[in-house]
Amino acid sequence: MLTFALTFGFTAMGLAMLLNIVRLVKGPDTVDRVTALDTLYINTIAVLMLVGIRIGSDIFFEAALLIAMMGFVGTVALAKHIRRGSIIE
Amino acid sequence: MIGELVVSLFILVGATFALIGSIGLVRLPDFYTRLHGPTKATTLGVGALLLASVIYFSALREGLSLHEALITLFLFMTAPVSAHLLVRAGLHHRVESRSRAPAEDHGHPDPEAPI
Amino acid sequence: MDFLVMEMLVATGVGAMAGAGVYLVLRARTYSVILGLALLGYAANTFLFASGRLSVGLAPVISDDALAYPDPLPQALVLTAIVIGFAMIAFAVVLMLRAHADLGTDHVDGPGGAGR
Amino acid sequence: MTLLLIVLLPLVGALLPAWFIRWGRNQSALAAGVVTGTAFALLLSLSSSVFAGEVPRADWTWMSSIGLSLAFMADGLGYLFAFLILGIGLLVVLYARYYLSEKDPMGRFYAYLLLFMGAMLGVVLADNLIVLLVFWELTSLTSFLLIGYWKHLPEGRQGARMALVVTGGGGLAMLAGFILLGNIAGTYQLSEILQMGEVIQAHDLYAPMLVLVLIGAFTKSAQFPFHFWLPHAMAAPTPVSAYLHSATMVKAGVFLLARLFPALSGTELWFFLVTGAGAATLLFAAYVALTKHDLKGLLAYSTVSHLGMITVLFGIGTAAAAVVGIFHIMNHAAFKASLFMNAGIVDHETGTRDIRRLSGLWAAMPITGVLAIIAAAAMAGVPLFNGFLSKEMFFEQAWALEYQFVEGVPWLLPAIVTLAALFSVAYSIRLVWSVFFGPQAEDLPKPPHDPPFGMLLPVGILAALCIVVGIVPVLVAGPMLAVAATATIGIAPPEYSLTLWHGFNIPLLMTALAFVGGIVAYWKRWAIIGLHEGPLPFPEAKRIFDGTIDRLAAFSHGTTAALENGSLQRYLALLVGAAVVAMGWPFLTGSWSAGPGPGTPLDGMSLVVWAILVGAAVATAALHRRRILALVVVSVVGLMLALAFVHLSAPDLALTQLSVEVVTVVLLLLALHLLPKEGPSEDSIGRKARDVGLAVAAGCAVTAMAWVILTNPVDTISGFHLAESYPGGGGTNVVNVILVDFRGFDTFGEIIVLAIAGLGIYAMIDALGVPDRWKIGSPDDEVRYPLLLTVITRLLLPLALLVSMYLFLRGHNQPGGGFIAGLVTAVALILQYVASGIGWTTDRFVRDYHGAIALGVLAAGATGLGAWLFGYPFLTGWFDYFELPIIGEFELASAVLFDIGVYLTVVAGVLLMLVNMGKIRNASAAAPDAADGEG
Amino acid sequence: MSGRAEASTKSGFKLFPHPVLTVVLVIVWLLLVNSIHPRMIVLGLGFGIAIPLFTRRFWPDHPRICRVGVLVRFVPVFIWDVVIANLQVAWLIVNFRRELRPTWVVVPLDITDPYAITTLANVISLTPGTVSSELGPGRRTLLVHSMDVDDPQALVDRIKRRYEAPLKEIFEC
């Protein structure tokens, strides 16, 4: 059961990440791409969780937490740059 | 056994939602609607997966393990803000929108930002 | 020998990053060069990391129930390398800005560099 | 020890005359004399042992790995040469005191002279090929200084240049030869090499080695075709000519022939090369000498010719011939040096050296005349003078020849020799007769008269030697010749008789012919001279030389210009190309190949990640001109890399990679704001194709390399770290323990690098003119500081700090640590700057990042020093466990303190970089929102 | 927001600059270390006190939560809405035939407290097909983009009734 769920999860997440990349490549606007990147970050967290469950260790927790933080910061910085040019003002 | 079932269930749900969110990101017509994908489906999707992890480690492994909840909290705090900023950027960039304009104008969408 | 293994992915991945890095480093504009530096840095780090060989699903953390450990030494080296690489890139970025401000162009060969 | 002193004394003592000159010329000369004299005395102190057949040695092993040792030995040959160098050196010092005029900087002259002396001594006393070579080149350099001593004379400078180029170039060839020789013999120690003559001559590389070494010797000894530099070196002050170009330096070449005689001589090749060159030089130079009108020019060519004679003797290769060679070296040194000084006197007193103007000086300067006649007679080989003896023996050897140049004409060499002797008689007569006899010259620049005694004394001594050796050779020259010859040929020399009268024999006949012909030649000289000044002139060596030099210079200019057009792009391309070739070669040659490999199995997720990573990397290259987009794609690469690290069980790396990734993105965004958002499309198709080619090649090479490494078995030293981490480092996260404990020193160095980078950036930006105080944007400026962002970031800050604390504290035992914690903190604070602006944040936060950096580095350093206090090496880790109420057992490790240092430095460094870059914009944007239109 | 929700229940002692924050931090810490060993509690308290002191100046006006009860009632409603919202959006995405009617609506704001506004904006973004897009001048209006609306006014009313009202009670008194 669990194994099946995991397989499904991995497939789905892999697909999701590829879709993000599609949007990231297609654009058409930079904001679209940034959105795609943001989503990619979030999906990565999901993947980490799945991996953690599969190998039965929560050693990836910090990584996931950091991805959440860093993804946010990155998105904020990019958005601010698009909106304002300078991000620290 | 029950635990495993629940975990699997959450995994399925979470993965599905995350996937749907990403599908939306690709499929939806314009930027502003696309934005809904990540901000919702993904957050819940990931939320469900995190919950799965919590249950897994708490039930099937030794001891209570809640710290994935932190990530959820984190996402719930940040995802809307990211979306917010992105929309602002989009508006500022005059990214074409298929959406109906607001009923009465309150200075939206943001004209040349008055600074 | 079987080529569909993790090793091949890592090798090709490093190769791809290195190749892209080289191409970018050879561009005429400082910004591209710095992107290239970043990619080359990734490639180098991964390469160095790979010198400890690959191991999946382990952690270099001593514990009683761990069966095996990955090679920690390359990891330590790469960790340092990443930070140093960042310092280097930061410096290069500021250098680029300074050059742009002083020379009025971001061409690697300075004013008139575009000619060559 | 004495040996080393002998060599070092002149080299070090060279300072004295240059220093003493402030008290006067005499003092300077005296200093030089004392130095030389002391060295001479030291040498003489060795003579008893040398004549007893011993070989004093001095040996300091220097780089035994390459067989390099500072070794000296004074065997007979070395002793003889050292004797000549110091003895004649002493005379030259005295002579030069009177020769040099008031205007000449005498201190410098003596300094150069002593330097040269030391170098020369090094050459003749060296017991190691390399040492010999070093001093050899040193003689070339010092002689350059001496020849160019009169800076105001252009020909002086040119002559010096020519001499340096020719002899120096020869020296290089010789270096190659010596290295070959060293490899053949398996040692650079001369005394050992001399023992293994047949081994060397049997070796395949004998021929090339011999040629190279001979080039060195011939250039130095001005043998044909390298003879041309010597006449041009005559622009030097006469003492120099007397010293370098008759007695010592030009003898270095023949010395080398003598030195390596046992090892190299005796083969047919040796005979043809050496004797051939010698014979050609001998005849040609003697002939030219006759046609020279310049006293010193004449002497120069005669020197060349006599060197040719010595070369011939060594070339013949028999022990007996070698003995004669040595003997003539001594004799030639004596009479040629005195002749040069003599010419110097004439020049000095009359103001000219042109034989056509000089005439009938006898009346004015009889003493000089007498000395000149003696020396010239010796040169011509008149009986009762030393020259006669060596020349007779020379004829003897030339007649009794084992090889022949042309089959069936055994008389060829004797003929050449006789002809050369004929001309040497002729120019000797011209040297004396045309100058001192005949009608009084009227139009001399100065009224001639005999020089001061100090100038005559050296000439006199040498002339006296000529006579004494000529009459009673056995008494005077016998012993020294014996030891020298023994040393040269390695065995006891064969029977030879230093007597005046050998009875009527072929050599005597040859001598007679030479004299008769010589007188005739002198009588008919104007016919010969006219021939060469008219219809067929001698090839002008200088013009050819200069032409060659110019063509060389032009060529090198051309190549440089072709390679270096000042484009960094091109240089980089060349570098990359070279690197690729270097990387690819081992694969092509097959010296690197893939191993069996553990073959870690694949899973779908890895494939996806890999695909995204590769795609993103390539996309970055493709999209680099759309800069923001490229940045987004790069961060995708970084993210995927972090995932890969996680999957490949390197959590710490993943954490670091993630944080650094974001910080880099912020950094580049800051920079991007000040740069064009789009790169111009300027690359030609060709350039693109070239770079794509390079990139692909590099990528493939790297891939192959990684594949080889990954599939070959590993031999790691990490077993130690894994085993020692907990018991030795008190931590279970081995990576962190390695960073802060085992390899703490590296980490210490690294945070210093980070700190320096931060400060460097600060300095560079500071010069861009950043106002230290900038306007505080109002908190409710919705456009700049969107409310949501501001509020959320304020909520996040404490949480982020808490997380970083968490990562920091557990770092020692779980993934985390000072670096990562520092980066997280830095990011959290940067977020404040982004959300609320520099002004607002700086008002609420430490401003002094420099201080923080310093504090961090100090903390880390202090940990290390702490280890010192307890008597451990720098940065030795310490830890222990404590028991506290409630809290229970907890650990205290010095590593934690160290980590705090790392933490502080990272935080402050990153902030320093980013915040200051943020300031640029505020400084540069005069209009508050130049940015608003773009973006 | 859930963190602050739990926090508010224990808001007591006033000797800390931000007692709520302190509690939140202790809880978060315990979550992080994933244990309730006394050592960790002590450590967490240490940080809970130290960090607010350090970040004190970043909080010019700290949020005041007066009506805890309302908050307690609000949270489940919110979570329920999130789930519903996700289902709806998911359906909208996967249902290819349906034609979307994306709309911009302007929500006039009665609340002024920045924390309240922020919370509202976040809540809106996390719930049915809406993303809070832009604060109007003077923070009197909030521009919201909705994925699929037939009656904009109804949406506005729903937002004001269902979210703004309780938040006003919670934050402003």
Side-chain angles (χ1 to χ4, degrees):
Chain A
M1 181 60 202
L2 189 55
T3 44
F4 164 75
L6 281 171
T7 333
F8 175 84
F10 275 116
T11 333
M13 292 325 295
L15 205 56
M17 286 166 80
L18 289 175
L19 288 171
N20 301 148
I21 294 299
V22 170
R23 175 50 69 193
L24 194 144
V25 174
K26 267 173 69 180
D29 277 287
T30 318
V31 276
D32 291 288
R33 303 199 158 93
V34 178
T35 317
L37 181 63
D38 191 40
T39 321
L40 188 61
Y41 266 94
I42 298 177
N43 285 339
T44 316
I45 301 174
V47 173
L48 282 188
M49 283 305 131
L50 289 174
V51 177
I53 293 177
R54 185 173 65 186
I55 71 171
S57 132
D58 61 352
I59 196 126
F60 303 133
F61 166 65
E62 293 76 21
L65 192 60
L66 238 60
I67 291 182
M69 272 180 76
M70 297 306 164
F72 175 62
V73 177
T75 313
V76 168
L78 281 163
K80 184 111 193 274
H81 177 79
I82 298 166
R83 175 75 175 79
R84 294 282 306 154
S86 91
I87 63 178
I88 294 184
E89 56 185 343
Chain B
M1 192 53 228
I2 293 300
E4 185 175 323
L5 204 69
V6 179
V7 172
S8 315
L9 200 65
F10 271 108
I11 291 180
L12 292 181
V13 173
T16 321
F17 269 114
L19 178 56
I20 290 175
S22 302
I23 293 176
L25 185 68
V26 175
R27 171 179 167 272
L28 291 172
D30 71 343
F31 165 68
Y32 303 100
T33 41
R34 275 177 220 134
L35 205 55
H36 292 267
T39 38
K40 304 215 179 35
T42 315
T43 42
L44 184 72
V46 174
L49 281 169
L50 292 165
L51 213 53
S53 156
V54 169
I55 298 167
Y56 176 78
F57 284 107
S58 312
L60 307 183
R61 294 258 147 184
E62 71 292 337
L64 186 69
S65 162
L66 289 176
H67 57 7
E68 287 82 354
L70 275 179
I71 302 179
T72 326
L73 164 66
F74 217 94
L75 286 179
F76 274 40
M77 284 170 74
T78 56
V81 179
S82 317
H84 178 69
L85 293 177
L86 285 168
V87 177
R88 282 163 51 93
L91 286 171
H92 178 66
H93 255 232
R94 299 259 177 282
V95 174
E96 57 91 31
S97 149
R98 304 256 184 84
S99 319
R100 281 177 286 168
E104 69 280 20
D105 186 0
H106 292 263
H108 296 297
D110 173 15
E112 299 307 299
I115 301 136
Chain C
M1 166 168 41
D2 179 13
F3 283 94
L4 273 182
V5 291
M6 197 65 86
E7 279 75 9
M8 183 43 91
L9 292 198
V10 173
T12 44
V14 175
M17 287 189 285
V22 166
Y23 181 79
L24 284 171
V25 164
L26 291 174
R27 292 303 100 219
R29 299 291 161 171
T30 44
Y31 182 78
S32 314
V33 172
I34 283 177
L35 287 184
L37 278 180
L39 280 178
L40 280 178
Y42 293 160
N45 292 338
T46 321
F47 189 92
L48 187 54
F49 170 73
S51 68
R53 306 304 182 270
L54 308 183
S55 47
V56 174
L58 307 175
V61 174
I62 306 290
S63 64
D64 307 333
D65 53 358
L67 311 165
Y69 299 104
D71 189 342
L73 196 54
Q75 294 194 18
L77 294 181
V78 172
L79 202 155
T80 345
I82 293 177
V83 178
I84 292 262
F86 163 69
M88 191 260 296
I89 287 193
F91 197 83
V93 166
V94 177
L95 209 57
M96 160 177 87
L97 289 180
R98 187 68 190 280
H100 186 247
D102 294 359
L103 304 176
T105 171
D106 63 342
H107 194 289
V108 286
D109 296 335
R116 304 202 192 86
Chain D
M1 197 56 225
T2 328
L3 281 170
L4 190 69
L5 263 184
I6 295 174
V7 178
L8 286 187
L9 208 54
L11 288 178
V12 180
L15 297 170
L16 289 181
W19 181 33
F20 275 55
I21 189 66
R22 65 179 59 188
W23 291 293
R25 293 149 57 79
N26 289 330
Q27 286 73 1
S28 180
L30 191 64
V34 168
V35 171
T36 320
T38 325
F40 198 32
L42 283 171
L43 182 72
L44 293 181
S45 73
L46 294 174
S47 35
S48 57
S49 55
V50 171
F51 284 115
E54 306 163 16
V55 178
R57 295 182 186 284
D59 192 335
W60 287 269
T61 309
W62 186 3
M63 280 184 259
S64 53
S65 52
I66 60 170
L68 186 52
S69 65
L70 191 61
F72 295 102
M73 69 168 173
D75 64 349
L77 185 63
Y79 178 84
L80 164 65
F81 269 87
F83 187 90
L84 290 178
I85 292 162
L86 288 168
I88 299 183
L90 211 46
L91 301 180
V92 169
V93 169
L94 173 59
Y95 177 83
R97 159 66 187 84
Y98 297 94
Y99 178 85
L100 292 179
S101 70
E102 296 290 342
K103 302 183 299 298
D104 302 324
M106 184 180 272
R108 217 175 69 229
F109 178 86
Y110 280 124
Y112 292 165
L113 199 71
L114 288 180
L115 279 178
F116 170 79
M117 193 181 290
M120 202 62 210
L121 286 168
V123 171
V124 298
L125 294 179
D127 185 16
N128 180 299
L129 282 182
I130 304 301
V131 175
L132 192 157
L133 186 92
V134 171
F135 283 109
W136 180 281
E137 295 292 13
L138 206 53
T139 58
S140 299
L141 291 176
T142 44
S143 73
F144 172 80
L145 294 173
L146 282 167
I147 297 170
Y149 173 70
W150 276 328
K151 294 196 173 61
H152 54 280
L153 296 181
E155 57 271 20
R157 293 198 300 274
Q158 291 158 357
R161 205 179 86 215
M162 192 186 283
L164 182 64
V165 170
V166 176
T167 54
L172 289 182
M174 198 173 83
L175 168 62
F178 277 180
I179 291 173
L180 280 178
L181 181 53
N183 288 348
I184 295 174
T187 169
Y188 286 100
Q189 209 69 7
L190 258 168
S191 37
E192 297 172 20
I193 290 174
L194 298 184
Q195 303 305 319
M196 44 208 316
E198 51 289 330
V199 183
I200 294 168
Q201 296 179 11
H203 198 281
D204 321 346
L205 289 175
Y206 170 70
M209 180 272 290
L210 180 62
V211 172
L212 287 168
V213 172
L214 285 182
I215 290 177
F218 288 171
T219 46
K220 205 76 165 179
S221 284
Q223 291 304 291
F224 183 85
F226 308 113
H227 62 281
F228 55 88
W229 67 266
L230 186 50
H232 286 281
M234 287 305 142
T238 307
V240 175
S241 313
Y243 193 38
L244 273 63
H245 306 130
S246 70
T248 55
M249 187 176 88
V250 291
K251 293 284 195 341
V254 286
F255 165 79
L256 196 68
L257 295 181
R259 173 48 83 208
L260 297 174
F261 189 80
L264 305 182
S265 72
T267 65
E268 197 158 349
L269 182 67
W270 164 276
F271 169 78
F272 282 118
L273 288 177
V274 180
T275 315
T281 318
L282 170 63
L283 179 56
F284 165 76
Y287 178 73
V288 178
L290 177 58
T291 68
K292 287 292 168 186
H293 304 307
D294 175 1
L295 277 178
K296 285 178 72 177
L298 188 153
L299 288 173
Y301 273 100
S302 96
T303 309
V304 174
S305 139
H306 277 271
L307 290 167
M309 169 175 159
I310 300 167
T311 312
V312 169
L313 280 164
F314 284 115
I316 292 171
T318 59
V323 176
V324 184
I326 300 289
F327 189 35
H328 194 67
I329 288 175
M330 298 162 64
N331 297 337
H332 177 260
F335 62 70
K336 191 51 66 67
S338 77
L339 278 173
F340 265 113
M341 295 187 191
N342 220 310
I345 293 173
V346 173
D347 184 12
H348 199 257
E349 301 306 328
T350 66
T352 177
R353 300 194 315 230
D354 189 330
I355 302 176
R356 287 164 301 184
R357 298 178 62 187
L358 294 164
S359 170
L361 294 182
W362 181 264
M365 31 203 322
I367 312 173
T368 319
V370 173
L371 298 177
I373 292 171
I374 297 171
M379 176 163 72
V382 178
L384 298 182
F385 296 97
N386 58 358
F388 171 75
L389 298 167
S390 41
K391 188 190 264 177
E392 285 290 297
M393 299 160 83
F394 172 48
F395 287 160
E396 206 175 317
Q397 299 300 331
W399 188 252
L401 207 53
E402 58 180 300
Y403 298 110
Q404 294 179 351
F405 282 105
V406 186
E407 278 312 317
V409 268
W411 46 265
L412 181 58
L413 189 60
I416 295 175
V417 166
T418 322
L419 207 55
L422 178 155
F423 286 117
S424 89
V425 171
Y427 64 68
S428 306
I429 300 173
R430 188 178 181 211
L431 187 63
V432 175
W433 196 265
S434 310
V435 172
F436 289 94
F437 301 96
Q440 288 266 353
E442 304 307 330
D443 56 348
L444 290 175
K446 297 185 201 166
H449 57 75
D450 269 324
F453 175 71
M455 239 169 150
L456 283 175
L457 179 62
V459 189
I461 293 174
L462 291 169
L465 271 174
C466 295
I467 303 177
V468 179
V469 172
I471 297 172
V472 283
V474 189
L475 297 182
V476 189
M480 194 179 281
L481 178 58
V483 285
T486 321
T488 308
I489 55 187
I491 48 163
E495 209 34 61
Y496 61 89
S497 68
L498 293 174
T499 51
L500 287 173
W501 184 251
H502 296 93
F504 292 97
N505 56 8
I506 302 292
L508 194 61
L509 175 64
M510 290 160 82
T511 316
L513 282 175
F515 273 102
V516 178
I519 295 162
V520 178
Y522 173 67
W523 182 39
K524 290 277 171 223
R525 65 180 182 280
W526 288 111
I528 302 170
I529 295 171
L531 175 66
H532 294 296
E533 286 173 350
L536 65 124
F538 294 115
E540 181 46 63
K542 188 175 183 313
R543 216 180 50 253
I544 301 171
F545 175 81
D546 290 346
T548 325
I549 294 292
D550 294 345
R551 272 194 296 286
L552 264 175
F555 170 73
S556 56
H557 278 305
T559 4
T560 318
L563 279 176
E564 297 188 7
N565 62 348
S567 160
L568 296 173
Q569 273 179 288
R570 170 178 303 195
Y571 302 162
L572 200 54
L574 291 175
L575 272 176
V576 171
V580 168
V581 172
M583 260 195 298
W585 189 246
F587 295 105
L588 304 182
T589 56
S591 53
W592 288 351
S593 62
T600 319
L602 275 184
D603 56 293
M605 193 35 91
S606 325
L607 266 172
V608 173
V609 170
W610 170 82
I612 296 180
L613 184 127
V614 172
V618 177
T620 321
L623 300 171
H624 69 94
R625 282 184 32 240
R626 306 171 60 183
R627 296 180 164 174
I628 300 178
L629 178 49
L631 184 54
V632 172
V633 183
V634 168
S635 51
V636 172
V637 178
L639 178 61
M640 290 304 121
L641 204 54
L643 259 184
F645 281 143
V646 170
H647 187 55
L648 298 173
S649 50
D652 292 276
L653 289 192
L655 299 180
T656 321
Q657 175 65 46
L658 281 167
S659 334
V660 167
E661 182 58 38
V662 166
V663 181
T664 315
V665 168
V666 173
L667 188 76
L668 282 170
L669 282 175
L670 283 166
L672 204 45
H673 173 50
L674 305 170
L675 292 172
K677 300 286 168 294
E678 293 277 316
S681 81
E682 56 191 348
D683 296 345
S684 65
I685 297 300
R687 166 72 56 87
K688 282 206 181 97
R690 181 198 77 184
D691 294 349
V692 169
L694 275 174
V696 170
C700 295
V702 172
T703 307
M705 218 145 124
W707 173 251
V708 167
I709 287 183
L710 279 165
T711 49
N712 279 298
V714 62
D715 173 22
T716 173
I717 60 167
S718 301
F720 165 81
H721 299 112
L722 286 165
E724 283 302 304
S725 174
Y726 191 64
T732 55
N733 177 4
V734 187
V735 175
N736 181 269
V737 173
I738 291 178
L739 280 177
V740 298
D741 198 324
F742 296 140
R743 313 284 308 154
F745 206 67
D746 305 358
T747 318
F748 187 54
E750 179 207 352
I751 62 173
I752 288 178
V753 169
L754 194 64
I756 292 173
L759 296 176
I761 288 173
Y762 175 78
M764 270 198 289
I765 292 175
D766 213 32
L768 282 174
V770 179
D772 43 5
R773 200 84 184 95
W774 50 92
K775 66 178 191 301
I776 301 175
S778 71
D780 16 294
D781 178 344
E782 178 60 22
V783 177
R784 282 191 180 166
Y785 316 118
L787 178 70
L788 269 74
L789 183 58
T790 328
V791 171
I792 289 294
T793 45
R794 276 170 214 176
L795 287 173
L796 283 183
L797 179 63
L799 298 183
L801 288 179
L802 193 65
V803 169
S804 75
M805 282 302 115
Y806 163 73
L807 288 170
F808 177 86
L809 280 187
R810 70 201 291 276
H812 211 45
N813 296 319
Q814 292 290 315
F819 275 125
I820 299 159
L823 286 165
V824 171
T825 312
V827 169
L829 289 166
I830 285 298
L831 198 51
Q832 297 303 310
Y833 282 94
V834 174
S836 311
I838 296 180
W840 192 88
T841 315
T842 317
D843 282 356
R844 285 159 178 72
F845 191 59
V846 239
R847 235 165 277 181
D848 180 15
Y849 302 126
H850 304 69
I853 290 182
L855 196 63
V857 175
L858 280 180
T863 326
L865 297 178
W868 268 347
L869 291 185
F870 297 100
Y872 296 103
F874 189 61
L875 280 174
T876 308
W878 164 89
F879 70 97
D880 203 349
Y881 296 89
F882 295 88
E883 204 63 31
L884 276 188
I886 323 161
I887 299 184
E889 186 194 62
F890 74 106
E891 176 192 3
L892 266 187
S894 67
V896 172
L897 184 56
F898 182 80
D899 232 7
I900 290 179
V902 176
Y903 173 84
L904 274 175
T905 319
V906 171
V907 174
V910 172
L911 282 179
L912 187 65
M913 295 175 188
L914 294 186
V915 174
N916 280 297
M917 284 187 65
K919 291 182 193 173
I920 305 180
R921 187 262 173 186
N922 299 35
S924 63
D929 275 305
D932 209 33
E934 62 192 32
Chain E
M1 301 296 96
S2 50
R4 296 178 59 227
E6 297 160 37
S8 60
T9 57
K10 306 192 190 67
S11 64
F13 17 77
K14 289 271 167 266
L15 53 154
F16 302 121
H18 299 296
V20 182
L21 181 59
T22 306
V23 178
V24 173
L25 286 176
V26 173
I27 292 168
V28 171
W29 175 259
L30 292 180
L31 284 176
L32 272 173
V33 295
N34 227 353
S35 96
I36 49 171
H37 186 289
R39 181 196 328 178
M40 288 309 167
I41 297 179
V42 173
L43 213 53
L45 270 175
F47 286 123
I49 295 162
I51 291 182
L53 288 176
F54 177 74
T55 57
R56 190 170 64 251
R57 315 192 49 212
F58 286 91
W59 297 64
D61 47 350
H62 63 80
R64 298 186 347 276
I65 297 171
C66 15
R67 303 285 303 279
V68 177
V70 183
L71 182 60
V72 175
R73 262 180 282 112
F74 175 72
V75 171
V77 173
F78 163 68
I79 292 177
W80 174 251
D81 281 356
V82 171
V83 177
I84 298 303
N86 280 280
L87 289 170
Q88 285 181 347
V89 172
W91 173 246
L92 287 178
I93 292 174
V94 292
N95 180 346
F96 283 72
R97 287 188 308 287
R98 196 170 179 300
E99 186 55 39
L100 290 179
R101 288 162 301 167
T103 316
W104 295 101
V105 296
V106 174
V107 182
L109 294 178
D110 303 337
I111 48 177
T112 55
D113 173 53
Y115 293 92
I117 295 177
T118 311
T119 320
L120 176 64
N122 275 21
V123 168
I124 289 175
S125 292
L126 290 167
T127 47
T130 48
V131 170
S132 54
S133 310
E134 182 115 41
L135 268 178
R139 298 175 184 169
R140 280 189 305 281
T141 56
L142 178 63
L143 180 68
V144 174
H145 181 270
S146 174
M147 239 179 128
D148 182 45
V149 188
D150 40 15
D151 175 6
Q153 193 49 48
L155 177 62
V156 173
D157 299 341
R158 185 162 177 283
I159 290 173
K160 290 187 76 65
R161 192 185 67 252
R162 201 168 166 82
Y163 308 126
E164 191 188 8
L167 286 172
K168 189 174 173 57
E169 286 188 56
I170 294 169
F171 284 98
E172 297 177 357
C173 47

